[in-house]
Amino acid sequence: DAKTTQPPSMDCAEGRAANLPCNHSTISGNEYVYWYRQIHSQGPQYIIHGLKNNETNEMASLIITEDRKSSTLILPHATLRDTAVYYCIVRVWGGADGLTFGKGTHLIIQP
Amino acid sequence: KAGVTQTPRYLIKTRGQQVTLSCSPISGHRSVSWYQQTPGQGLQFLFEYFSETQRNKGNFPGRFSGRQFSNSRSEMNVSTLELGDSALYLCASSDSGVSPLHFGNGTRLTVT
């Protein structure tokens, strides 16, 4: 079973910030939070990852709560091309275990 | 850098046949892993190879096998195909397993 819980779907208006929540209440101290997204008929695309500090890259920001039991992926200015299924995954850094994908959140950007 | 390349993109096979799928990782990446994606089960881990050695395996029957070559390219094989093997098969590579996975766009296998 996936170690994370995400809402099945969300809507966001184009140009607004999309905030995608993820609960990972059983996360271990050495597990990172990773975010991937999958656009229809393509392979998953890596977005961002973090351990306990907030992280930002050219695609998104990741906010992790102090107790590390939940996180939020922020797409600052959503575009129609951001419509995809977003997966939140926890995994030990460098682990050989496969990624455990849950059902993810289907984010729909509305024009 | 070129991304992860999977061939062929689409494949149609008959039940009972066997199939081989190919994956070329990002240059310099030594870890290659394989995933199966179906509408009912979602994305499921098949196995992971690093420097030609299988390091981990998911919960799939022995009909599913793989290998990795010295140039890090990988193949996976499915023997005695069943209708339920119809899926999108995804390959991902990473730098020694200590960087995030980068996925190819998959091979869509249809078993009739």
Side-chain angles (χ1 to χ4, degrees):
Chain A
D1 290 336
K3 300 180 183 179
T4 61
T5 304
Q6 300 176 253
S9 65
M10 292 182 63
D11 287 348
C12 178
E14 189 177 18
R16 305 296 294 267
N19 295 272
L20 292 91
C22 178
N23 283 316
H24 31 79
S25 58
T26 61
I27 192 170
S28 301
N30 62 346
E31 286 183 316
Y32 284 68
V33 179
Y34 291 83
W35 283 84
Y36 287 80
R37 72 180 182 184
Q38 187 173 25
I39 297 169
H40 185 61
S41 296
Q42 296 182 20
Q45 177 189 23
Y46 164 76
I47 301 172
I48 199 168
H49 72 277
L51 182 62
K52 53 184 177 182
N53 297 321
N54 298 337
E55 302 287 345
T56 296
N57 63 21
E58 65 279 3
M59 289 183 67
S61 295
L62 174 60
I63 308 298
I64 302 174
T65 58
E66 193 169 341
D67 63 8
R68 302 209 324 122
K69 291 186 177 181
S70 66
S71 60
T72 301
L73 177 74
I74 301 172
L75 307 178
H77 305 287
T79 71
L80 297 179
R81 287 179 294 181
D82 291 323
T83 293
V85 177
Y86 287 75
Y87 297 99
C88 168
I89 298 163
V90 296
R91 185 187 190 215
V92 174
W93 180 254
D97 295 344
L99 297 179
T100 300
F101 286 84
K103 295 189 184 302
T105 296
H106 187 194
L107 175 66
I108 299 171
I109 306 301
Q110 305 281 2
Chain B
K1 261 187 186 178
V4 177
T5 304
Q6 293 188 247
T7 56
R9 189 77 171 91
Y10 300 93
L11 205 50
I12 300 175
K13 289 287 188 178
T14 303
R15 196 170 44 180
Q17 288 185 316
Q18 66 120 26
V19 67
T20 299
L21 312 181
S22 180
C23 172
S24 293
I26 291 172
S27 178
H29 284 190
R30 292 191 291 163
S31 170
V32 173
S33 50
W34 288 87
Y35 290 78
Q36 181 197 65
Q37 185 172 29
T38 61
Q41 299 298 318
L43 275 151
Q44 293 186 287
F45 171 69
L46 281 157
F47 29 66
E48 191 257 359
Y49 286 86
F50 179 79
S51 292
E52 303 179 64
T53 300
Q54 185 181 91
R55 291 200 298 186
N56 210 344
K57 190 176 187 304
N59 189 25
F60 278 82
R63 299 185 298 107
F64 292 82
S65 63
R67 60 177 176 169
Q68 186 181 32
F69 302 96
S70 58
N71 62 358
S72 293
R73 191 176 69 84
S74 177
E75 290 181 345
M76 69 161 281
N77 184 276
V78 188
S79 62
T80 319
L81 284 165
E82 300 177 359
L83 296 179
D85 297 332
S86 294
L88 180 66
Y89 289 89
L90 292 156
C91 169
S93 73
S94 71
D95 176 12
S96 302
V98 295
S99 65
L101 299 186
H102 296 272
F103 285 81
N105 284 330
T107 293
R108 172 119 4 233
L109 171 66
T110 302
V111 182
T112 62

